Amino acid sequence: MNQVAFTDEAVVFDINIPDSVNSLLQAGVVATRQNKLKAELLFRQAYQLDRHCLQTYYALYKFHFHHKQFLEAEYFVLAGMEEAATQDGFPSDYHQLFRENAQWNMYENKARLFYLYCLKALAFIKLRREQIIQAQIILAIIKKLDPEDKSGASVVITIASAIEED
């Protein structure tokens, strides 16, 4: 029989992140609804506490994106990509990954999947910043790196296609 675990957490990040980091991220999620400055401070505290925890990058880029702070969001997306690549020993440059695609199984582990999610976020940020050509290049790279669409980039590809038609 399968057991279902219930949690008081606002968002389930990753079950393997340190409790201290998770507590700060959870508090940040709750604070986002009431106090934007407090939320950002909590997310940044989590990031400062453990810069190797990929979920801190995720929380910060999502936070900044939702507040239309696209430059800040892009910063944390790129930093998250760099950290994921460093942790797993693959190139952080998505152009290089594209050229060396046969060498890298991007579905191999969480760090590589996180990288794909960040790459998708980067494409979406480029769209929101009206950098359409850069977004299209990134989306073409994602199609090759993520042929099974595990990152969900097809949603961003659909949005980009709709923008092109306008």
Side-chain angles (χ1 to χ4, degrees):
M1 179 175 168
N2 291 338
Q3 292 183 338
V4 177
F6 292 95
T7 179
D8 291 333
E9 295 181 345
V11 173
V12 177
F13 286 97
D14 184 320
I15 60 171
N16 297 320
I17 66 174
D19 290 340
S20 56
V21 173
N22 189 48
S23 294
L24 288 166
L25 293 177
Q26 295 301 327
V29 170
V30 171
T32 297
R33 300 178 191 121
Q34 299 140 355
N35 186 332
K36 176 181 155 186
L37 294 175
K38 181 179 178 183
E40 182 177 8
L41 177 64
L42 290 163
F43 291 139
R44 285 184 182 268
Q45 285 176 334
Y47 169 72
Q48 292 297 326
L49 185 61
D50 188 352
R51 290 183 183 224
H52 300 296
C53 179
L54 298 176
Q55 297 304 310
T56 62
Y57 296 91
Y58 172 79
L60 281 161
Y61 79 65
K62 291 288 275 192
F63 173 82
H64 287 296
F65 183 85
H66 286 293
H67 290 93
K68 296 180 174 46
Q69 298 168 332
F70 302 125
L71 287 175
E72 292 88 345
E74 186 171 331
Y75 171 83
F76 284 106
V77 165
L78 293 171
M81 291 167 65
E82 184 70 37
E83 179 61 30
T86 298
Q87 286 183 20
D88 198 53
F90 62 90
S92 62
D93 179 0
Y94 52 89
H95 296 99
Q96 182 178 351
L97 282 173
F98 179 79
R99 290 188 303 272
E100 300 173 357
N101 185 48
Q103 294 180 31
W104 307 105
N105 173 3
M106 296 308 288
Y107 303 141
E108 188 169 296
N109 57 47
K110 287 183 183 182
R112 293 182 188 194
L113 285 170
F114 182 81
Y115 184 94
L116 291 175
Y117 283 111
C118 286
L119 196 56
K120 173 185 76 171
L122 182 60
F124 198 40
I125 290 166
K126 296 293 187 185
L127 285 176
R128 290 299 307 263
R129 293 184 63 205
E130 298 181 359
Q131 297 174 346
I132 308 302
I133 294 172
Q134 288 177 328
Q136 290 170 334
I137 291 168
I138 294 167
L139 291 169
I141 290 171
I142 291 174
K143 282 183 184 180
K144 185 168 182 180
L145 296 177
D146 183 14
E148 296 175 30
D149 193 33
K150 290 188 179 186
S151 69
S154 60
V155 173
V156 181
I157 291 168
T158 300
I159 293 168
S161 296
I163 291 171
E164 289 173 25
E165 292 173 5
D166 284 345

